Amino acid sequence: MIWNPTKECMSRDQMRELQGKRLHKIVEYVYHNVPFYREKLQQMDLTPEDITSIDDIVKLPFTTKKDLRDNYPFGLQAAPASEIIRIHASSGTTGNPTIVGYTRKDIGVWSECMARSLTAFGAGRDDIFSVAYGYGLFTGGLGAHNGVEKIGAAVVPASTGNTEKHARLIRDLGITCIACTPSYALYLAETMEKMGITKDQIKLRVGAFGAEPWTEAMRQEIQQRLGLKGYNIYGLSEIMGPSVSYECDAQNGSHINEDHFFPEIIDPATLEPLPYGQTGELVFTTLTKEGMPLLRYRTRDLCSLIDGPCDCGRTSVRMTAIEGRSDDMLIIRGINVFPSQVESVVLTMEEIAPRYMLVVDRVNNLDTLMVQVELRQEYFNATMDTPAAIEELSKKLAAKLKSVLSIAAKVQLKAPGTIERSQGKSTRVIDNRKLK
Ligand code: DLL
């Protein structure tokens, strides 16, 4: 089934024409409403009149996460505060999160995109749909929730945590579809097995998995253990949230909602656009967003674009699975973590030297994070024989990390000079998960 055949199966020529019109409008809109963009365009000697077709997109400036940070919290917002009805936040590179405001129309577009995805996954009004992405500032929970309501299925807002209760609900309510991170799906499968809930006691048939990279091997394992078909759903808060793209039954790349988000692939080193089929950094321009429209936003996700018709009948450009990042962002239990966030915390504590290491692992399908830091020599000398003081400091650091990272990290305080010094570029992360 296709939710919106007019848009999802539009001819390429019509799509490009629509994109061109929308691009002109959005450039005009930001030119008049976002001083940051007006200044950038003026510096480049560009006016909205210079943008008449989608091919003109290459003339426009890029936007980066640093631009969002420099304009924290609302500097890139185009709509007046009175028009904003929802605010989400995602991890920033340091202490401050990235803030994204949505107008009523934005929320409507988001729900429409979600409805397209869920319909492509085969979900419909007869389904009972558990949303096990986190509800809150993260876009996963509420984003998926609105889409499930839009297609008329019954939404179970399970959120994350309390997995045993969730497992019982899946069995007792006959839940048929689930949206969660792929690693949580595996954790759920394991929990169910421990509880003695077998595949023939549950009715799960569709999984909407995303928010973190996952492999074909993980897909096979989840499908086998939960007895469902798993589909990829991709998105990022800055652009919208879940449903920037989604897989169809053909599962040969994820269809991009191109009438709303225009994709490009660039070489992250030269910033030059790359042709279809070549791997590079994914860049999106929001074509219809009112709250915080972005021009050529550099996602830092690495993948390639696939053109040409798909077996499912949709005509939109597809993106391959994310192969990696062009920055050092980690995704731990579905939450984005930048090593620089840890640094920003470490720098606030005088007892600790500005040297740290993040050790990431996956234990029983759950990601773990340990932050190792070195004590300063003076503090180390003064507290060597007082374990209570060390304990106190660990707790203080763990609490500060939790509030900045939004996930719990184990803390290991180490003696001065014991965190390995690297010869060249410093290594701040040891990732022992096998995601490739
Ligand atoms: O993760 C939005 C989302 C929620 C997508 C639920 C899908 C399902 P952020 O927290 O801003 O937003 O993180 C965005 O997560 O740039 C990718 O690096 C990664 N990511 C998201 N979906 C996928 C996916 C949400 N399907 C960042 N495969 C993105 C691989 C993904 N990576």
mmCIF file of all heavy atoms in Angstrom, residues 217-263:
data_model
loop_
_atom_site.group_PDB
_atom_site.id
_atom_site.type_symbol
_atom_site.label_atom_id
_atom_site.label_comp_id
_atom_site.label_asym_id
_atom_site.label_seq_id
_atom_site.Cartn_x
_atom_site.Cartn_y
_atom_site.Cartn_z
ATOM 1 N N ALA A 217 22.922 -8.381 9.233
ATOM 2 C CA ALA A 217 22.967 -9.519 10.166
ATOM 3 C C ALA A 217 22.037 -9.259 11.353
ATOM 4 O O ALA A 217 21.328 -10.166 11.821
ATOM 5 C CB ALA A 217 24.395 -9.727 10.655
ATOM 6 N N MET A 218 21.998 -8.002 11.828
ATOM 7 C CA MET A 218 21.093 -7.685 12.946
ATOM 8 C C MET A 218 19.650 -7.845 12.492
ATOM 9 O O MET A 218 18.802 -8.336 13.234
ATOM 10 C CB MET A 218 21.315 -6.248 13.422
ATOM 11 C CG MET A 218 22.439 -6.102 14.415
ATOM 12 S SD MET A 218 22.691 -4.366 14.804
ATOM 13 C CE MET A 218 21.575 -4.147 16.174
ATOM 14 N N ARG A 219 19.386 -7.406 11.250
ATOM 15 C CA ARG A 219 18.012 -7.535 10.744
ATOM 16 C C ARG A 219 17.588 -9.007 10.779
ATOM 17 O O ARG A 219 16.506 -9.343 11.268
ATOM 18 C CB ARG A 219 17.917 -6.991 9.320
ATOM 19 C CG ARG A 219 16.527 -7.224 8.817
ATOM 20 C CD ARG A 219 16.037 -6.587 7.547
ATOM 21 N NE ARG A 219 16.838 -5.826 6.692
ATOM 22 C CZ ARG A 219 16.464 -4.669 6.152
ATOM 23 N NH1 ARG A 219 15.297 -4.151 6.458
ATOM 24 N NH2 ARG A 219 17.239 -4.025 5.305
ATOM 25 N N GLN A 220 18.442 -9.872 10.265
ATOM 26 C CA GLN A 220 18.105 -11.307 10.212
ATOM 27 C C GLN A 220 17.859 -11.843 11.620
ATOM 28 O O GLN A 220 16.905 -12.573 11.865
ATOM 29 C CB GLN A 220 19.238 -12.110 9.552
ATOM 30 C CG GLN A 220 19.472 -11.764 8.082
ATOM 31 C CD GLN A 220 18.206 -11.817 7.251
ATOM 32 O OE1 GLN A 220 17.310 -12.612 7.502
ATOM 33 N NE2 GLN A 220 18.095 -10.930 6.266
ATOM 34 N N GLU A 221 18.707 -11.429 12.548
ATOM 35 C CA GLU A 221 18.583 -11.958 13.904
ATOM 36 C C GLU A 221 17.283 -11.478 14.571
ATOM 37 O O GLU A 221 16.558 -12.271 15.186
ATOM 38 C CB GLU A 221 19.804 -11.551 14.740
ATOM 39 C CG GLU A 221 19.782 -12.261 16.086
ATOM 40 C CD GLU A 221 20.979 -11.939 16.965
ATOM 41 O OE1 GLU A 221 21.997 -11.411 16.453
ATOM 42 O OE2 GLU A 221 20.873 -12.202 18.184
ATOM 43 N N ILE A 222 16.990 -10.187 14.404
ATOM 44 C CA ILE A 222 15.752 -9.661 15.024
ATOM 45 C C ILE A 222 14.536 -10.360 14.405
ATOM 46 O O ILE A 222 13.610 -10.783 15.109
ATOM 47 C CB ILE A 222 15.611 -8.134 14.797
ATOM 48 C CG1 ILE A 222 16.783 -7.378 15.419
ATOM 49 C CG2 ILE A 222 14.287 -7.622 15.358
ATOM 50 C CD1 ILE A 222 16.860 -5.914 14.994
ATOM 51 N N GLN A 223 14.560 -10.482 13.085
ATOM 52 C CA GLN A 223 13.407 -11.087 12.387
ATOM 53 C C GLN A 223 13.195 -12.515 12.877
ATOM 54 O O GLN A 223 12.066 -12.940 13.139
ATOM 55 C CB GLN A 223 13.641 -11.076 10.876
ATOM 56 C CG GLN A 223 13.656 -9.663 10.326
ATOM 57 C CD GLN A 223 13.660 -9.557 8.813
ATOM 58 O OE1 GLN A 223 13.255 -8.549 8.265
ATOM 59 N NE2 GLN A 223 14.107 -10.589 8.132
ATOM 60 N N GLN A 224 14.297 -13.211 13.020
ATOM 61 C CA GLN A 224 14.212 -14.613 13.411
ATOM 62 C C GLN A 224 13.716 -14.736 14.859
ATOM 63 O O GLN A 224 12.838 -15.547 15.164
ATOM 64 C CB GLN A 224 15.616 -15.206 13.234
ATOM 65 C CG GLN A 224 15.681 -16.712 13.118
ATOM 66 C CD GLN A 224 15.787 -17.310 14.502
ATOM 67 O OE1 GLN A 224 16.430 -16.732 15.377
ATOM 68 N NE2 GLN A 224 15.121 -18.438 14.704
ATOM 69 N N ARG A 225 14.220 -13.853 15.728
ATOM 70 C CA ARG A 225 13.871 -14.018 17.153
ATOM 71 C C ARG A 225 12.503 -13.453 17.505
ATOM 72 O O ARG A 225 11.852 -13.931 18.425
ATOM 73 C CB ARG A 225 14.955 -13.392 18.036
ATOM 74 C CG ARG A 225 16.234 -14.238 17.994
ATOM 75 C CD ARG A 225 17.386 -13.560 18.658
ATOM 76 N NE ARG A 225 17.348 -13.611 20.108
ATOM 77 C CZ ARG A 225 18.333 -13.144 20.882
ATOM 78 N NH1 ARG A 225 19.408 -12.594 20.341
ATOM 79 N NH2 ARG A 225 18.240 -13.211 22.188
ATOM 80 N N LEU A 226 12.064 -12.416 16.784
ATOM 81 C CA LEU A 226 10.755 -11.839 17.128
ATOM 82 C C LEU A 226 9.657 -12.251 16.128
ATOM 83 O O LEU A 226 8.480 -11.938 16.330
ATOM 84 C CB LEU A 226 10.835 -10.312 17.190
ATOM 85 C CG LEU A 226 11.557 -9.709 18.409
ATOM 86 C CD1 LEU A 226 11.624 -8.199 18.294
ATOM 87 C CD2 LEU A 226 10.873 -10.101 19.725
ATOM 88 N N GLY A 227 10.058 -12.900 15.044
ATOM 89 C CA GLY A 227 9.062 -13.376 14.079
ATOM 90 C C GLY A 227 8.375 -12.251 13.335
ATOM 91 O O GLY A 227 7.174 -12.315 13.055
ATOM 92 N N LEU A 228 9.112 -11.173 13.024
ATOM 93 C CA LEU A 228 8.506 -10.055 12.299
ATOM 94 C C LEU A 228 9.377 -9.689 11.112
ATOM 95 O O LEU A 228 10.445 -10.264 10.916
ATOM 96 C CB LEU A 228 8.350 -8.838 13.229
ATOM 97 C CG LEU A 228 9.548 -8.416 14.088
ATOM 98 C CD1 LEU A 228 10.688 -7.853 13.272
ATOM 99 C CD2 LEU A 228 9.107 -7.362 15.096
ATOM 100 N N LYS A 229 8.913 -8.715 10.301
ATOM 101 C CA LYS A 229 9.764 -8.195 9.237
ATOM 102 C C LYS A 229 10.246 -6.816 9.676
ATOM 103 O O LYS A 229 9.439 -5.963 10.068
ATOM 104 C CB LYS A 229 8.969 -8.128 7.921
ATOM 105 C CG LYS A 229 9.845 -7.672 6.761
ATOM 106 C CD LYS A 229 9.301 -8.083 5.403
ATOM 107 C CE LYS A 229 10.234 -7.538 4.321
ATOM 108 N NZ LYS A 229 9.880 -7.834 2.971
ATOM 109 N N GLY A 230 11.551 -6.601 9.617
ATOM 110 C CA GLY A 230 12.121 -5.345 10.110
ATOM 111 C C GLY A 230 12.421 -4.379 8.974
ATOM 112 O O GLY A 230 13.032 -4.758 7.975
ATOM 113 N N TYR A 231 11.958 -3.130 9.123
ATOM 114 C CA TYR A 231 12.158 -2.103 8.094
ATOM 115 C C TYR A 231 12.998 -0.962 8.666
ATOM 116 O O TYR A 231 12.835 -0.591 9.834
ATOM 117 C CB TYR A 231 10.812 -1.515 7.649
ATOM 118 C CG TYR A 231 9.922 -2.493 6.921
ATOM 119 C CD1 TYR A 231 9.112 -3.369 7.633
ATOM 120 C CD2 TYR A 231 9.900 -2.536 5.530
ATOM 121 C CE1 TYR A 231 8.275 -4.267 6.970
ATOM 122 C CE2 TYR A 231 9.063 -3.422 4.858
ATOM 123 C CZ TYR A 231 8.259 -4.286 5.584
ATOM 124 O OH TYR A 231 7.441 -5.171 4.931
ATOM 125 N N ASN A 232 13.800 -0.378 7.792
ATOM 126 C CA ASN A 232 14.624 0.751 8.225
ATOM 127 C C ASN A 232 13.841 2.064 8.148
ATOM 128 O O ASN A 232 13.115 2.318 7.195
ATOM 129 C CB ASN A 232 15.860 0.861 7.326
ATOM 130 C CG ASN A 232 16.838 1.900 7.836
ATOM 131 O OD1 ASN A 232 17.180 1.913 9.015
ATOM 132 N ND2 ASN A 232 17.265 2.800 6.971
ATOM 133 N N ILE A 233 14.024 2.874 9.173
ATOM 134 C CA ILE A 233 13.459 4.231 9.146
ATOM 135 C C ILE A 233 14.575 5.165 9.599
ATOM 136 O O ILE A 233 15.267 4.903 10.579
ATOM 137 C CB ILE A 233 12.192 4.329 10.020
ATOM 138 C CG1 ILE A 233 11.657 5.753 10.004
ATOM 139 C CG2 ILE A 233 12.397 3.866 11.444
ATOM 140 C CD1 ILE A 233 10.219 5.836 10.482
ATOM 141 N N TYR A 234 14.762 6.238 8.829
ATOM 142 C CA TYR A 234 15.898 7.132 9.078
ATOM 143 C C TYR A 234 15.400 8.560 9.289
ATOM 144 O O TYR A 234 14.386 8.973 8.709
ATOM 145 C CB TYR A 234 16.850 7.096 7.871
ATOM 146 C CG TYR A 234 17.882 8.204 7.866
ATOM 147 C CD1 TYR A 234 19.111 8.048 8.521
ATOM 148 C CD2 TYR A 234 17.631 9.423 7.236
ATOM 149 C CE1 TYR A 234 20.054 9.066 8.531
ATOM 150 C CE2 TYR A 234 18.570 10.450 7.239
ATOM 151 C CZ TYR A 234 19.773 10.267 7.886
ATOM 152 O OH TYR A 234 20.707 11.287 7.910
ATOM 153 N N GLY A 235 16.133 9.288 10.089
ATOM 154 C CA GLY A 235 15.816 10.709 10.237
ATOM 155 C C GLY A 235 16.767 11.354 11.213
ATOM 156 O O GLY A 235 17.581 10.690 11.845
ATOM 157 N N LEU A 236 16.663 12.662 11.303
ATOM 158 C CA LEU A 236 17.482 13.405 12.282
ATOM 159 C C LEU A 236 16.698 14.622 12.732
ATOM 160 O O LEU A 236 15.908 15.197 11.964
ATOM 161 C CB LEU A 236 18.843 13.794 11.704
ATOM 162 C CG LEU A 236 18.925 14.715 10.497
ATOM 163 C CD1 LEU A 236 20.331 15.283 10.403
ATOM 164 C CD2 LEU A 236 18.606 13.976 9.217
ATOM 165 N N SER A 237 16.908 14.976 13.993
ATOM 166 C CA SER A 237 16.105 16.042 14.606
ATOM 167 C C SER A 237 16.199 17.356 13.854
ATOM 168 O O SER A 237 15.199 18.058 13.710
ATOM 169 C CB SER A 237 16.556 16.310 16.034
ATOM 170 O OG SER A 237 17.017 15.170 16.643
ATOM 171 N N GLU A 238 17.410 17.695 13.410
ATOM 172 C CA GLU A 238 17.588 19.009 12.792
ATOM 173 C C GLU A 238 16.690 19.172 11.578
ATOM 174 O O GLU A 238 16.231 20.266 11.268
ATOM 175 C CB GLU A 238 19.052 19.202 12.360
ATOM 176 C CG GLU A 238 20.036 19.308 13.509
ATOM 177 C CD GLU A 238 20.539 17.946 13.988
ATOM 178 O OE1 GLU A 238 19.875 16.926 13.728
ATOM 179 O OE2 GLU A 238 21.603 17.918 14.630
ATOM 180 N N ILE A 239 16.475 18.054 10.859
ATOM 181 C CA ILE A 239 15.671 18.125 9.637
ATOM 182 C C ILE A 239 14.199 17.884 9.949
ATOM 183 O O ILE A 239 13.308 18.507 9.375
ATOM 184 C CB ILE A 239 16.203 17.097 8.603
ATOM 185 C CG1 ILE A 239 17.633 17.489 8.202
ATOM 186 C CG2 ILE A 239 15.319 16.983 7.361
ATOM 187 C CD1 ILE A 239 17.782 18.871 7.598
ATOM 188 N N MET A 240 13.897 16.977 10.883
ATOM 189 C CA MET A 240 12.509 16.670 11.214
ATOM 190 C C MET A 240 12.418 15.717 12.391
ATOM 191 O O MET A 240 11.814 16.009 13.414
ATOM 192 C CB MET A 240 11.841 16.051 9.957
ATOM 193 C CG MET A 240 10.436 15.556 10.134
ATOM 194 S SD MET A 240 9.265 16.871 10.440
ATOM 195 C CE MET A 240 8.939 17.545 8.827
ATOM 196 N N GLY A 241 13.069 14.545 12.264
ATOM 197 C CA GLY A 241 12.922 13.444 13.210
ATOM 198 C C GLY A 241 12.771 12.182 12.365
ATOM 199 O O GLY A 241 13.148 12.200 11.187
ATOM 200 N N PRO A 242 12.216 11.097 12.914
ATOM 201 C CA PRO A 242 12.070 9.885 12.113
ATOM 202 C C PRO A 242 11.206 10.143 10.884
ATOM 203 O O PRO A 242 10.278 10.949 10.959
ATOM 204 C CB PRO A 242 11.369 8.907 13.068
ATOM 205 C CG PRO A 242 10.766 9.749 14.131
ATOM 206 C CD PRO A 242 11.650 10.940 14.256
ATOM 207 N N SER A 243 11.538 9.454 9.761
ATOM 208 C CA SER A 243 10.735 9.542 8.529
ATOM 209 C C SER A 243 11.264 10.498 7.495
ATOM 210 O O SER A 243 10.541 10.856 6.572
ATOM 211 C CB SER A 243 9.265 9.897 8.783
ATOM 212 O OG SER A 243 8.543 8.723 8.829
ATOM 213 N N VAL A 244 12.499 10.906 7.615
ATOM 214 C CA VAL A 244 13.095 11.611 6.486
ATOM 215 C C VAL A 244 13.163 10.610 5.326
ATOM 216 O O VAL A 244 12.891 10.937 4.185
ATOM 217 C CB VAL A 244 14.494 12.168 6.853
ATOM 218 C CG1 VAL A 244 15.223 12.690 5.629
ATOM 219 C CG2 VAL A 244 14.345 13.273 7.899
ATOM 220 N N SER A 245 13.447 9.333 5.661
ATOM 221 C CA SER A 245 13.373 8.278 4.649
ATOM 222 C C SER A 245 12.931 6.964 5.288
ATOM 223 O O SER A 245 13.024 6.799 6.506
ATOM 224 C CB SER A 245 14.710 8.109 3.935
ATOM 225 O OG SER A 245 15.644 7.477 4.784
ATOM 226 N N TYR A 246 12.474 6.043 4.432
ATOM 227 C CA TYR A 246 11.890 4.788 4.923
ATOM 228 C C TYR A 246 12.023 3.707 3.861
ATOM 229 O O TYR A 246 11.971 3.975 2.666
ATOM 230 C CB TYR A 246 10.401 4.996 5.251
ATOM 231 C CG TYR A 246 9.620 5.574 4.082
ATOM 232 C CD1 TYR A 246 8.903 4.749 3.210
ATOM 233 C CD2 TYR A 246 9.652 6.942 3.815
ATOM 234 C CE1 TYR A 246 8.229 5.284 2.114
ATOM 235 C CE2 TYR A 246 8.992 7.478 2.720
ATOM 236 C CZ TYR A 246 8.285 6.653 1.883
ATOM 237 O OH TYR A 246 7.642 7.186 0.789
ATOM 238 N N GLU A 247 12.146 2.478 4.321
ATOM 239 C CA GLU A 247 12.222 1.359 3.380
ATOM 240 C C GLU A 247 10.831 0.942 2.919
ATOM 241 O O GLU A 247 9.849 1.130 3.635
ATOM 242 C CB GLU A 247 12.866 0.147 4.077
ATOM 243 C CG GLU A 247 14.343 0.022 3.829
ATOM 244 C CD GLU A 247 14.964 -1.181 4.541
ATOM 245 O OE1 GLU A 247 14.307 -1.798 5.398
ATOM 246 O OE2 GLU A 247 16.117 -1.475 4.241
ATOM 247 N N CYS A 248 10.802 0.319 1.737
ATOM 248 C CA CYS A 248 9.566 -0.307 1.264
ATOM 249 C C CYS A 248 9.809 -1.814 1.274
ATOM 250 O O CYS A 248 10.851 -2.274 1.729
ATOM 251 C CB CYS A 248 9.245 0.169 -0.150
ATOM 252 S SG CYS A 248 10.541 -0.320 -1.307
ATOM 253 N N ASP A 249 8.864 -2.572 0.733
ATOM 254 C CA ASP A 249 9.006 -4.024 0.732
ATOM 255 C C ASP A 249 10.214 -4.507 -0.054
ATOM 256 O O ASP A 249 10.768 -5.566 0.231
ATOM 257 C CB ASP A 249 7.733 -4.664 0.151
ATOM 258 C CG ASP A 249 6.953 -5.367 1.238
ATOM 259 O OD1 ASP A 249 7.586 -5.685 2.264
ATOM 260 O OD2 ASP A 249 5.744 -5.573 1.064
ATOM 261 N N ALA A 250 10.627 -3.727 -1.056
ATOM 262 C CA ALA A 250 11.774 -4.144 -1.875
ATOM 263 C C ALA A 250 13.065 -4.115 -1.050
ATOM 264 O O ALA A 250 14.024 -4.820 -1.378
ATOM 265 C CB ALA A 250 11.888 -3.254 -3.101
ATOM 266 N N GLN A 251 13.097 -3.296 -0.018
ATOM 267 C CA GLN A 251 14.253 -3.178 0.891
ATOM 268 C C GLN A 251 15.566 -3.015 0.125
ATOM 269 O O GLN A 251 16.542 -3.694 0.380
ATOM 270 C CB GLN A 251 14.301 -4.367 1.850
ATOM 271 C CG GLN A 251 13.047 -4.397 2.717
ATOM 272 C CD GLN A 251 13.188 -5.186 3.991
ATOM 273 O OE1 GLN A 251 13.784 -6.247 3.991
ATOM 274 N NE2 GLN A 251 12.615 -4.685 5.076
ATOM 275 N N ASN A 252 15.523 -2.091 -0.823
ATOM 276 C CA ASN A 252 16.725 -1.793 -1.592
ATOM 277 C C ASN A 252 16.991 -0.297 -1.453
ATOM 278 O O ASN A 252 16.819 0.477 -2.386
ATOM 279 C CB ASN A 252 16.493 -2.211 -3.052
ATOM 280 C CG ASN A 252 17.702 -1.929 -3.908
ATOM 281 O OD1 ASN A 252 18.803 -1.707 -3.398
ATOM 282 N ND2 ASN A 252 17.502 -1.913 -5.220
ATOM 283 N N GLY A 253 17.330 0.101 -0.241
ATOM 284 C CA GLY A 253 17.512 1.526 0.050
ATOM 285 C C GLY A 253 16.255 2.124 0.649
ATOM 286 O O GLY A 253 15.174 1.516 0.598
ATOM 287 N N SER A 254 16.395 3.297 1.273
ATOM 288 C CA SER A 254 15.252 3.947 1.933
ATOM 289 C C SER A 254 14.789 5.140 1.110
ATOM 290 O O SER A 254 15.598 6.006 0.751
ATOM 291 C CB SER A 254 15.663 4.399 3.341
ATOM 292 O OG SER A 254 15.998 3.271 4.111
ATOM 293 N N HIS A 255 13.491 5.181 0.820
ATOM 294 C CA HIS A 255 12.903 6.254 0.006
ATOM 295 C C HIS A 255 12.915 7.571 0.784
ATOM 296 O O HIS A 255 12.417 7.633 1.913
ATOM 297 C CB HIS A 255 11.456 5.908 -0.343
ATOM 298 C CG HIS A 255 11.339 4.795 -1.338
ATOM 299 N ND1 HIS A 255 11.400 5.009 -2.691
ATOM 300 C CD2 HIS A 255 11.186 3.460 -1.182
ATOM 301 C CE1 HIS A 255 11.279 3.849 -3.335
ATOM 302 N NE2 HIS A 255 11.147 2.892 -2.434
ATOM 303 N N ILE A 256 13.430 8.590 0.152
ATOM 304 C CA ILE A 256 13.489 9.898 0.812
ATOM 305 C C ILE A 256 12.205 10.679 0.504
ATOM 306 O O ILE A 256 11.737 10.681 -0.645
ATOM 307 C CB ILE A 256 14.732 10.679 0.336
ATOM 308 C CG1 ILE A 256 15.995 9.921 0.774
ATOM 309 C CG2 ILE A 256 14.737 12.107 0.874
ATOM 310 C CD1 ILE A 256 17.289 10.462 0.209
ATOM 311 N N ASN A 257 11.650 11.304 1.512
ATOM 312 C CA ASN A 257 10.478 12.155 1.302
ATOM 313 C C ASN A 257 10.948 13.444 0.626
ATOM 314 O O ASN A 257 11.020 14.513 1.225
ATOM 315 C CB ASN A 257 9.789 12.448 2.643
ATOM 316 C CG ASN A 257 8.892 11.310 3.067
ATOM 317 O OD1 ASN A 257 7.989 10.901 2.317
ATOM 318 N ND2 ASN A 257 9.135 10.767 4.252
ATOM 319 N N GLU A 258 11.245 13.268 -0.664
ATOM 320 C CA GLU A 258 11.946 14.297 -1.435
ATOM 321 C C GLU A 258 11.137 15.555 -1.706
ATOM 322 O O GLU A 258 11.703 16.558 -2.137
ATOM 323 C CB GLU A 258 12.213 13.725 -2.817
ATOM 324 C CG GLU A 258 13.512 13.093 -3.034
ATOM 325 C CD GLU A 258 13.597 12.838 -4.521
ATOM 326 O OE1 GLU A 258 12.867 11.958 -5.013
ATOM 327 O OE2 GLU A 258 14.344 13.555 -5.182
ATOM 328 N N ASP A 259 9.817 15.470 -1.566
ATOM 329 C CA ASP A 259 9.037 16.698 -1.761
ATOM 330 C C ASP A 259 9.210 17.631 -0.550
ATOM 331 O O ASP A 259 8.893 18.811 -0.625
ATOM 332 C CB ASP A 259 7.546 16.404 -2.026
ATOM 333 C CG ASP A 259 6.950 15.424 -1.024
ATOM 334 O OD1 ASP A 259 7.681 14.567 -0.487
ATOM 335 O OD2 ASP A 259 5.731 15.526 -0.757
ATOM 336 N N HIS A 260 9.743 17.100 0.543
ATOM 337 C CA HIS A 260 9.985 17.923 1.737
ATOM 338 C C HIS A 260 11.469 18.101 2.076
ATOM 339 O O HIS A 260 11.849 19.116 2.652
ATOM 340 C CB HIS A 260 9.266 17.331 2.950
ATOM 341 C CG HIS A 260 7.776 17.295 2.779
ATOM 342 N ND1 HIS A 260 7.008 18.439 2.726
ATOM 343 C CD2 HIS A 260 6.919 16.259 2.607
ATOM 344 C CE1 HIS A 260 5.743 18.103 2.548
ATOM 345 N NE2 HIS A 260 5.658 16.798 2.469
ATOM 346 N N PHE A 261 12.288 17.087 1.749
ATOM 347 C CA PHE A 261 13.716 17.140 2.126
ATOM 348 C C PHE A 261 14.556 16.822 0.907
ATOM 349 O O PHE A 261 14.534 15.678 0.432
ATOM 350 C CB PHE A 261 14.007 16.121 3.239
ATOM 351 C CG PHE A 261 12.949 16.080 4.302
ATOM 352 C CD1 PHE A 261 12.139 14.970 4.462
ATOM 353 C CD2 PHE A 261 12.734 17.192 5.122
ATOM 354 C CE1 PHE A 261 11.139 14.938 5.423
ATOM 355 C CE2 PHE A 261 11.740 17.172 6.081
ATOM 356 C CZ PHE A 261 10.944 16.038 6.230
ATOM 357 N N PHE A 262 15.281 17.804 0.392
ATOM 358 C CA PHE A 262 16.062 17.564 -0.816
ATOM 359 C C PHE A 262 17.443 17.021 -0.447
ATOM 360 O O PHE A 262 18.196 17.671 0.285
ATOM 361 C CB PHE A 262 16.198 18.840 -1.652
ATOM 362 C CG PHE A 262 16.907 18.558 -2.952
ATOM 363 C CD1 PHE A 262 16.221 17.968 -4.000
ATOM 364 C CD2 PHE A 262 18.262 18.821 -3.096
ATOM 365 C CE1 PHE A 262 16.880 17.659 -5.195
ATOM 366 C CE2 PHE A 262 18.930 18.511 -4.286
ATOM 367 C CZ PHE A 262 18.234 17.921 -5.330
ATOM 368 N N PRO A 263 17.797 15.833 -0.976
ATOM 369 C CA PRO A 263 19.081 15.222 -0.602
ATOM 370 C C PRO A 263 20.205 15.539 -1.585
ATOM 371 O O PRO A 263 19.970 15.662 -2.791
ATOM 372 C CB PRO A 263 18.762 13.721 -0.686
ATOM 373 C CG PRO A 263 17.758 13.620 -1.802
ATOM 374 C CD PRO A 263 16.976 14.922 -1.817
#
